[in-house]
Amino acid sequence: MGQLVDGVWQVGTAGAAGEDGQFHREESTFRHWLTADGGPGPQGQPGHAAASGRYRLYVSLACPWAHRTLIMRALKGLESVLPVSVVHWYMGDQGWTFQPGRGVIPDPELQAEYLHHLYTAAKPGMTGKVTVPVLWDREQRSIVSNESADILRMFNEAFDGHGALPGDYYPAALRADIDAINARVYEAVNNGVYKAGFASTQQAYDEAVGPLFETLDMLDAQLQQSPWLVGGRMTEADIRLFTTLLRFDAVYHGHFKCNVRQIASYPGLNGLLQRMLAMPAVARTVDAHHITHHYYQSHRQLNPSGIVAKGLAWLRDLPPAQL
């Protein structure tokens, strides 16, 4: 996908593996925190005060990492509090762009043509990847965070005194269990599909696909005993797993060679997928066109023709995202 080097965009290949044949995900660059009163974050991160209209969320409707933040925004009823911009599904030489297209919402802050323009505005001379989601502070004209896991938790509680709907998806009593399941799901599933899909050696692929399906088997057994992953209720752990499950059969199964089994064949996992899709707040964040067209058209090293697979009828039949 390319990256910034000393503030200058350098063209690269989306998801290129390293010299060891493995896909390596970089740490997020911006890790400030949004809090109700502007105090520091849970680990002492510099704080920004929650306020209606002060922030803008930049997302890709194709990206599972950005999708989790959209789901929390919808569950907490933050649509009128937190405006959103949506990049084009196609990631080419310039990375994420605001090229006109179905479902694209342009950038009104900098009138940026490319997402990397926001990064260099926030941090001139930056070196690193340009990713979604991005939480932008319109007052300070800078990036609060580009780490989806952090943004998920900020949205869960920062706006509770600023018009958010009730609901706690990271309750104190369940945090240790949520953190434990998140850690395994992130490594083996959320990031595991990418490690399998972008592997450039057989060994790297085998090392990714084995733990992926071992973990899916474990999660399926657990979800056959309880409808939710932790505590018998929906938490952020379910949200984080859901965005990968949603894309699995339509994209990861074939495009990323994760074809040992389909999610449709797992009663527990498929049950979670369908339960979450039945929630209107979740369903309106899903956009099948962006999901399928991004992966099949952007990763030309995996799909040189750019032909978009027809995919799943139930996913295609969902209405476009309504943000």
Side-chain angles (χ1 to χ4, degrees), residues 85-108:
S85 286
V86 178
V87 296
H88 197 277
W89 61 84
Y90 178 68
M91 180 190 287
D93 287 346
Q94 291 292 324
W96 296 115
T97 80
F98 294 98
Q99 173 187 338
R102 168 180 161 176
V104 174
I105 301 177
D107 165 45

Side-chain angles (χ1 to χ4, degrees), residues 42-274:
Q43 304 300 322
Q45 303 96 325
H48 297 242
S52 180
R54 176 174 168 177
Y55 302 94
R56 176 171 288 271
L57 179 65
Y58 292 80
V59 300
S60 158
L61 299 179
C63 172
W65 313 98
H67 190 184
R68 55 172 70 168
T69 67
L70 278 178
I71 292 172
M72 187 65 80
R73 172 178 175 265
L75 289 170
K76 296 292 288 188
L78 300 177
E79 291 93 334
S80 63
V81 172
L82 188 68
V84 68
S85 286
V86 178
V87 296
H88 197 277
W89 61 84
Y90 178 68
M91 180 190 287
D93 287 346
Q94 291 292 324
W96 296 115
T97 80
F98 294 98
Q99 173 187 338
R102 168 180 161 176
V104 174
I105 301 177
D107 165 45
E109 308 301 327
L110 304 179
Q111 290 75 50
E113 186 177 2
Y114 309 119
L115 187 65
H116 63 72
H117 289 163
L118 273 81
Y119 276 69
T120 52
K123 188 175 181 180
M126 173 186 158
T127 294
K129 298 289 187 182
V130 172
T131 61
V132 285
V134 168
L135 182 60
W136 177 264
D137 187 332
R138 304 170 75 186
E139 183 179 294
Q140 296 188 8
R141 296 177 67 80
S142 188
I143 295 174
V144 177
S145 178
N146 68 328
E147 171 50 59
S148 66
D150 292 353
I151 296 172
L152 195 70
R153 292 187 179 170
M154 295 178 211
F155 290 177
N156 181 56
E157 61 182 15
F159 290 96
D160 281 356
H162 303 270
L165 294 175
D168 183 1
Y169 300 92
Y170 188 54
L174 299 177
R175 288 181 182 179
D177 291 337
I178 292 171
D179 290 346
I181 200 76
N182 282 347
R184 181 164 180 183
V185 168
Y186 167 78
E187 185 62 30
V189 181
N190 299 146
N191 201 37
V193 294
Y194 286 87
K195 291 190 292 184
F198 290 133
S200 62
T201 67
Q202 188 68 50
Q203 179 178 346
Y205 168 78
D206 291 341
E207 289 174 355
V209 81
L212 166 61
F213 282 93
E214 290 169 7
T215 302
L216 290 176
D217 290 345
M218 179 274 291
L219 294 169
D220 182 69
Q222 184 170 331
L223 287 165
Q224 290 187 57
Q225 301 301 314
S226 172
W228 307 105
L229 288 172
V230 178
R233 54 174 288 188
M234 180 182 170
T235 68
E236 71 164 44
D238 302 293
I239 297 170
R240 289 167 57 126
L241 177 59
F242 166 78
T243 58
T244 299
L245 298 182
L246 176 70
R247 291 156 175 80
F248 201 97
D249 290 358
V251 176
Y252 304 144
H253 181 271
H255 186 57
F256 277 1
K257 307 180 188 69
C258 299
N259 58 356
V260 176
R261 290 183 70 180
Q262 292 182 306
I263 298 305
S265 69
Y266 285 106
L269 292 169
N270 192 52
L272 175 65
L273 174 62
Q274 300 306 323

Side-chain angles (χ1 to χ4, degrees), residues 11-32:
V11 174
T13 300
E19 293 183 0
D20 59 0
Q22 298 180 343
F23 169 72
H24 299 280
R25 189 173 298 280
E26 289 189 5
E27 293 290 327
S28 299
T29 303
F30 299 92
R31 300 294 293 269
H32 287 198

